[in-house]
Amino acid sequence: MRAPPLVLLTLLPSCAALSPPRPCLLAAARGPAQQQPPPAPTPASAYSDDNMPMPITFRAVAAVAFADLLVYLLLPEGERFGPLARRLPRVTWSMLTILFSLLTDSGTQPWLALLLSLLLASSAATDLLWWLPYYMLTVEWETCSGGLFTKRVCHPHQPWDRFLLFALCLATGVFYTLAAIHSFGAFQFMRDEEAERRMRRSFASALEAGRTQG
């Protein structure tokens, strides 16, 4: 009975991060609020054609990570899926992915996109190179007990849990791989844009200094 409170405490920060901000009641009572600045455009990817916006947005990455977190929190505890405590590292990693996805979506700092790409790449590598072969090689069609000094008794077993986890790891692994590629492409694009802005500022400062001295 300890699992539901833990699930709720884990979901609250993610739900709060994914939900859109609501206007303050006090500000609404005072009158029309000041016009908010337009949201930042979706960062382009260096790997997309003509530097077009990313085909996988950071909000989509956060939504998939939240769905992954929700699935692993709601899987029943027991012999098939194990205790909830064993899933907490993956749940924590999903929460970090959600956090950095939303920070990268709302900011323009290239290092946020770089950290997000590293998080996504590690998640994809873990799912595709470790968990996928593990679930594939541990499929059992019967469960046996006894042996050695006692009679070995086997019963039929339906490994639907392994197939479910295999499908989940395959889906998230492929998605996180594509998201990591485009996140790194967004990092490269924002880094180059920042370098160009610095170069233009330096050129403008040098030109202004030359006019002043002249």
Side-chain angles (χ1 to χ4, degrees), residues 50-75:
D50 298 327
N51 289 331
M52 296 295 291
M54 291 175 55
I56 301 176
T57 63
F58 295 119
R59 284 275 174 176
V61 174
V64 171
F66 178 75
D68 183 64
L69 177 149
L70 191 63
V71 167
Y72 279 90
L73 280 178
L74 297 181
L75 286 176

Side-chain angles (χ1 to χ4, degrees), residues 109-125:
Q109 298 297 326
W111 63 271
L112 288 174
L114 178 60
L115 286 179
L116 178 61
S117 65
L118 294 177
L119 282 172
L120 293 171
S122 60
S123 298

Side-chain angles (χ1 to χ4, degrees), residues 9 18 28 38 44 61 72 79 92 95 101 114 131 135 137 142 145 191 196 198 204 211:
L9 289 175
L18 286 174
V61 174
Y72 279 90
E79 181 182 356
T92 305
M95 294 180 66
S101 297
L114 178 60
W131 289 118
Y135 291 137
L137 296 176
E142 60 180 10
S145 60
R191 180 195 58 187
E196 290 181 4
R198 290 178 180 177
R211 289 178 180 178

Side-chain angles (χ1 to χ4, degrees), residues 37-213:
T42 303
S45 174
Y47 301 135
S48 58
D49 296 335
D50 298 327
N51 289 331
M52 296 295 291
M54 291 175 55
I56 301 176
T57 63
F58 295 119
R59 284 275 174 176
V61 174
V64 171
F66 178 75
D68 183 64
L69 177 149
L70 191 63
V71 167
Y72 279 90
L73 280 178
L74 297 181
L75 286 176
E77 295 188 79
E79 181 182 356
R80 288 183 178 271
F81 298 105
L84 181 60
R86 293 184 181 178
R87 305 175 220 154
L88 291 183
R90 185 180 183 96
V91 169
T92 305
W93 203 256
S94 297
M95 294 180 66
L96 287 175
T97 303
I98 294 172
L99 174 63
F100 279 97
S101 297
L102 297 177
L103 288 176
T104 309
D105 182 70
S106 60
T108 57
Q109 298 297 326
W111 63 271
L112 288 174
L114 178 60
L115 286 179
L116 178 61
S117 65
L118 294 177
L119 282 172
L120 293 171
S122 60
S123 298
T126 303
D127 283 348
L128 296 178
L129 300 180
W130 172 253
W131 289 118
L132 208 62
Y134 173 78
Y135 291 137
M136 182 176 58
L137 296 176
T138 55
V139 172
E140 295 180 351
W141 295 97
E142 60 180 10
T143 57
C144 299
S145 60
L148 195 57
F149 299 109
T150 59
K151 183 180 178 180
R152 184 175 179 84
V153 180
C154 296
H155 301 281
H157 175 71
Q158 296 295 332
W160 59 268
D161 53 328
R162 297 298 180 184
F163 292 131
L164 174 61
L165 295 174
F166 181 90
L168 286 174
C169 289
L170 179 61
T172 54
V174 172
F175 179 83
Y176 287 153
T177 299
L178 297 176
I181 293 173
H182 285 292
S183 296
F184 189 74
F187 157 70
Q188 289 183 317
F189 181 84
M190 289 189 287
R191 180 195 58 187
D192 295 342
E193 284 288 310
E194 182 65 23
E196 290 181 4
R197 285 194 294 267
R198 290 178 180 177
M199 186 178 298
R200 287 195 294 268
R201 287 196 297 266
S202 299
F203 182 77
S205 299
L207 186 62
E208 184 66 24
R211 289 178 180 178
T212 304
Q213 293 178 359

